[in-house]
Amino acid sequence: MKSLCKRALLAGLGALSLSAAAFAQYPNKPIKIIVPFLAGGTTDIMARAVAADLQKAFGQAVVVENRAGAGGNIGADAVAKSAPDGYTFLMGTVGTHAINMALYTKMPYDAVKDFAPVSLVAAVPNILVATPSFPVNSVKELIDLAKKEDGKLTFASSGSGTSIHLSGELFKQLAGVQMTHVPYKGSSAALPDVMSGQVNVMFDNAPSVMPHIKGGKLKAVAVTSGKRAPALPNVPTIAESGLPGFEASSWFGLLAPAGTPKEIVDKVSAQIQKMLQTPEMKERLASQGADGVGNTPEQFAAHIKTEIDKWAKVVKASGAKAD
């Protein structure tokens, strides 16, 4: 009996030492970050910034893979069902981990139980944009035109269930107007149609549209955050433009499948927090209208739960549904 206990103890110690050795070598193969939207959008931009930093810090390739569809649910579900070994992550959003819980009748994953939050990366305002020739230069003018056209105006989004979609729904509700939602599989797919005037307006994430605003291909009408964006100080908020209380911002954060070893989650989280404190990353995000955050897995988990409650109320009030 004593011999059996001794062997069991030694086996347990051996497993622990192997586990410790495996963690000490982490990562020892390429890491994958899944983006649940098309390349070129804000989620993709954030993921590639994180991937470049992790690759430099860890000395292993970090690959970004785009899996778009269903408002981000397809890519998020792929990560939820991946092996929890520290080699697959998701660049999650306010859509995949808050809004969609209320917007979709059936979800393929549980935003809380199926993931291990790593770190919140950035928060960004959405910007109401249109092609320069569109005859609207203020929120009031858009409301007046929308009432006149009575449902004929269109607004694009990066997919049903995203904060971009819900910004439009919230605008319709508070302004008392009707506009037709035109969903795409990502901002990069939607923006060409907005710039050409095929779709009238879009409430897109700041990093996606800032280059086009600076290049004169789009005009910024208003921002959806509670305060003006530092990158666009002369562009008013929607709230101050006649719709008090309007606020709909986006956030982006890294998550792993539930069950991923805490040591790995903490290691990756610490590197992201370190990255966001560098002057280069602060300047890069500020130029895109984004605010770098960086927090612990526990803080990010608490943030997600708060956001789920917040957006459930907004979705219910707006009456929006994706299915």
Side-chain angles (χ1 to χ4, degrees), residues 101-116:
M101 307 310 108
L103 201 66
Y104 285 82
T105 304
K106 294 182 179 179
M107 286 290 291
Y109 59 87
D110 187 302
V112 175
K113 295 179 181 179
D114 291 341
F115 295 88

Side-chain angles (χ1 to χ4, degrees), residues 4 70 89 93 128 140 171-172 199 201 267 280 298 305:
L4 286 173
F89 293 90
T93 70
L128 171 57
K140 183 181 183 304
F171 181 85
K172 286 165 53 180
V199 182
V201 298
K267 181 175 182 177
E280 296 81 10
E298 294 76 18
K305 290 180 180 178

Side-chain angles (χ1 to χ4, degrees), residues 73 94-107 109 111 160-162 165-166 307-323:
N73 287 348
V94 63
T96 62
H97 278 74
I99 295 173
N100 288 6
M101 307 310 108
L103 201 66
Y104 285 82
T105 304
K106 294 182 179 179
M107 286 290 291
Y109 59 87
S160 296
T162 61
H165 168 210
L166 203 57
E307 286 286 284
I308 289 174
D309 292 339
K310 168 190 170 182
W311 285 102
K313 296 174 184 176
V314 174
V315 170
K316 183 177 180 180
S318 71
K321 281 294 176 185
D323 54 10

Side-chain angles (χ1 to χ4, degrees), residues 18-95:
L18 284 172
S19 177
F23 171 67
Q25 296 172 5
Y26 175 84
N28 57 15
K29 63 180 183 179
I31 294 171
K32 177 167 60 181
I33 298 177
I34 290 181
V35 172
F37 300 99
L38 293 179
T42 303
T43 315
D44 186 70
I45 292 170
M46 295 298 169
R48 291 181 190 280
V50 170
D53 181 80
L54 293 181
Q55 182 166 304
K56 182 179 179 181
F58 294 162
Q60 283 289 342
V62 181
V63 181
V64 173
E65 180 180 318
N66 299 85
R67 293 196 192 181
N73 287 348
I74 291 175
D77 187 47
V79 174
K81 292 177 171 58
S82 294
D85 56 7
Y87 290 94
T88 303
F89 293 90
L90 171 75
M91 183 53 70
T93 70
V94 63

Side-chain angles (χ1 to χ4, degrees), residues 16-288:
L16 285 174
S17 64
L18 284 172
S19 177
F23 171 67
Q25 296 172 5
Y26 175 84
N28 57 15
K29 63 180 183 179
I31 294 171
K32 177 167 60 181
I33 298 177
I34 290 181
V35 172
F37 300 99
L38 293 179
T42 303
T43 315
D44 186 70
I45 292 170
M46 295 298 169
R48 291 181 190 280
V50 170
D53 181 80
L54 293 181
Q55 182 166 304
K56 182 179 179 181
F58 294 162
Q60 283 289 342
V62 181
V63 181
V64 173
E65 180 180 318
N66 299 85
R67 293 196 192 181
N73 287 348
I74 291 175
D77 187 47
V79 174
K81 292 177 171 58
S82 294
D85 56 7
Y87 290 94
T88 303
F89 293 90
L90 171 75
M91 183 53 70
T93 70
V94 63
T96 62
H97 278 74
I99 295 173
N100 288 6
M101 307 310 108
L103 201 66
Y104 285 82
T105 304
K106 294 182 179 179
M107 286 290 291
Y109 59 87
D110 187 302
V112 175
K113 295 179 181 179
D114 291 341
F115 295 88
V118 178
S119 179
L120 185 59
V121 175
V124 305
N126 292 335
I127 303 176
L128 171 57
V129 296
T131 191
S133 61
F134 185 57
V136 160
N137 293 296
S138 69
V139 169
K140 183 181 183 304
E141 289 179 359
L142 178 59
I143 293 173
D144 290 343
L145 184 59
K147 288 181 177 179
K148 180 181 177 181
E149 295 294 334
D150 192 25
K152 293 181 181 179
L153 292 188
T154 54
F155 73 97
S157 83
S158 56
S160 296
T162 61
S163 72
I164 296 168
H165 168 210
L166 203 57
S167 291
E169 296 293 345
L170 186 60
F171 181 85
K172 286 165 53 180
Q173 179 204 1
L174 295 182
V177 299
Q178 289 299 317
M179 295 193 299
T180 301
H181 175 220
V182 183
Y184 290 79
K185 288 186 177 181
S187 290
S188 59
L191 285 172
D193 285 354
V194 179
M195 288 186 278
S196 69
Q198 186 171 329
V199 182
N200 299 130
V201 298
M202 186 173 181
F203 298 79
D204 201 6
N205 301 150
S208 293
V209 295
M210 285 298 294
H212 304 299
I213 293 172
K214 292 177 180 178
K217 294 182 179 180
L218 287 172
K219 62 182 174 184
V221 178
V223 296
T224 66
S225 50
K227 59 181 181 180
R228 295 192 181 196
L232 296 169
N234 296 322
V235 178
T237 66
I238 291 179
E240 69 179 282
S241 300
L243 295 180
F246 188 104
E247 184 174 357
S249 297
S250 300
W251 52 259
F252 307 85
L254 200 70
L255 302 105
T260 300
K262 190 176 187 303
E263 296 87 350
I264 290 176
V265 170
D266 287 343
K267 181 175 182 177
V268 177
S269 179
Q271 182 56 39
I272 291 175
Q273 292 175 62
K274 181 180 178 181
M275 170 195 75
L276 292 170
Q277 291 303 312
T278 63
E280 296 81 10
M281 186 54 65
K282 286 183 177 180
E283 183 179 346
R284 180 177 179 180
L285 291 176
S287 68
Q288 297 173 339

